[in-house]
Amino acid sequence: MSQPTLTERVKAHRFFTGEKALANQPVVLNHRRIFILPTQRGLSFAVLVGLLFLIAFVYNNNLAYLLTFLIASVFFITTLHSFKALAGLVVQPGPAQPVFAGNPARFDVYVDNPTPNPREHLRLTLEDTVSVSVPALTKTRVALACATHQRGWYEAGKVTVASTYPLGLFRTWSPIRFTLKVLVYPKPADFSTPFPESSAGDIQQGFSKKGAEDFYGVHEYQAGDPVRHIHWKAYAKGLGLYSKQYGGGSSAQIWLDYAQTSGHSTEERLSQLCRWVLDAEQAGLSYGFILPNLTLQPGSGIGHSQQCLEALALF
């Protein structure tokens, strides 16, 4: 990485945004990345030192001078210890797992302390703040969460490592701009409508009709439906009374088609497709997947479901 120029070093935004954005590479906290300013307690401490010095000067009291210089020395020595609270730490992000919209995205950040001195009361901030202590010669994983609201790629902001160790007189911090990204899937519909019906030609090729073995979808409850098929989770959420439908044949195959989804907007239709993918995977069905710009042949398993969900996220 190239060295910043003098003009770049004195820019005020470095105190808040740190150095230029980095790929997910380890970052060593050194004098270029660490900033120090007095806290409110530190400013009050400085005012106290000033008042003691004024009293010593007015009364020309040697003991007052001695007390003033002693307290001032504590103030300035604390600056060095505050810097050492972060200096030498190695910070690196880990991989982030995809999430569904509305669920928090979790970013793992590893803090490595290669020195023989423990680092106490570190605070790592992304959206929320997490406190952690890192023993000597160890690496600690810290989970930082961010709220997600819509599908697609979510890019997190900077990670700030901070400390007020040892006396709380100074705040030492280092803002780090990693390239933190996570794929956000559409939020699944609260409950599933029945899977799309298969054509007669599909049935002859091994596609199943409704039966009584594999989960197929849900429909509004009708008198005579078995009590064991009632969708109690939907009822508990106040969504109404629904019954689960099941399809026969363990080798059932279906097509999940965007054109056959219900909904008043693109997001609602993607949400329904997402629910179908999860339900079909849970039921062990082999399912094809159709979007206006993509067709995936029938399949099943984690790899197939992830491919479908990624297509929904990036649609």
Side-chain angles (χ1 to χ4, degrees), residues 51-70:
L51 290 176
L52 288 176
F53 180 80
L54 182 61
I55 292 172
F57 178 78
V58 170
Y59 291 98
N60 194 24
N61 188 302
N62 290 334
L63 290 178
Y65 274 121
L66 178 61
L67 179 61
T68 300
F69 294 144
L70 178 62

Side-chain angles (χ1 to χ4, degrees), residues 37-114:
L37 282 177
T39 62
Q40 184 175 0
R41 180 186 299 179
L43 292 175
S44 300
F45 196 89
V47 171
L48 174 63
V49 172
L51 290 176
L52 288 176
F53 180 80
L54 182 61
I55 292 172
F57 178 78
V58 170
Y59 291 98
N60 194 24
N61 188 302
N62 290 334
L63 290 178
Y65 274 121
L66 178 61
L67 179 61
T68 300
F69 294 144
L70 178 62
I71 295 178
S73 66
V74 171
F75 183 80
F76 291 112
I77 291 175
T78 301
T79 307
L80 177 61
H81 288 278
S82 297
F83 172 79
K84 287 185 176 181
L86 297 186
L89 291 176
V90 181
V91 184
Q92 182 178 16
Q97 298 299 321
V99 296
F100 294 98
N103 293 336
R106 194 183 79 167
F107 297 93
D108 288 339
V109 176
Y110 294 90
V111 182
D112 185 12
N113 179 16

Side-chain angles (χ1 to χ4, degrees), residues 106-173:
R106 194 183 79 167
F107 297 93
D108 288 339
V109 176
Y110 294 90
V111 182
D112 185 12
N113 179 16
T115 68
N117 301 316
R119 308 303 177 94
E120 305 291 341
H121 307 297
L122 300 179
R123 290 194 293 272
L124 278 73
T125 303
L126 191 54
E127 280 189 358
D128 297 326
T129 299
V130 177
S131 297
V132 63
S133 296
V134 185
L137 305 174
T138 61
K139 178 185 288 188
T140 300
R141 179 177 61 85
V142 182
L144 302 175
C146 289
T148 61
H149 303 286
Q150 59 185 10
R151 62 183 175 86
W153 285 109
Y154 176 84
E155 295 187 9
K158 68 180 182 298
V159 176
T160 301
V161 185
S163 174
T164 56
Y165 182 84
L167 300 178
L169 301 181
F170 292 90
R171 180 177 184 266
T172 311
W173 79 96

Side-chain angles (χ1 to χ4, degrees), residues 247-260:
S250 60
S251 61
Q253 288 185 334
I254 56 175
W255 281 93
L256 308 181
D257 191 347
Y258 176 87
Q260 296 183 359

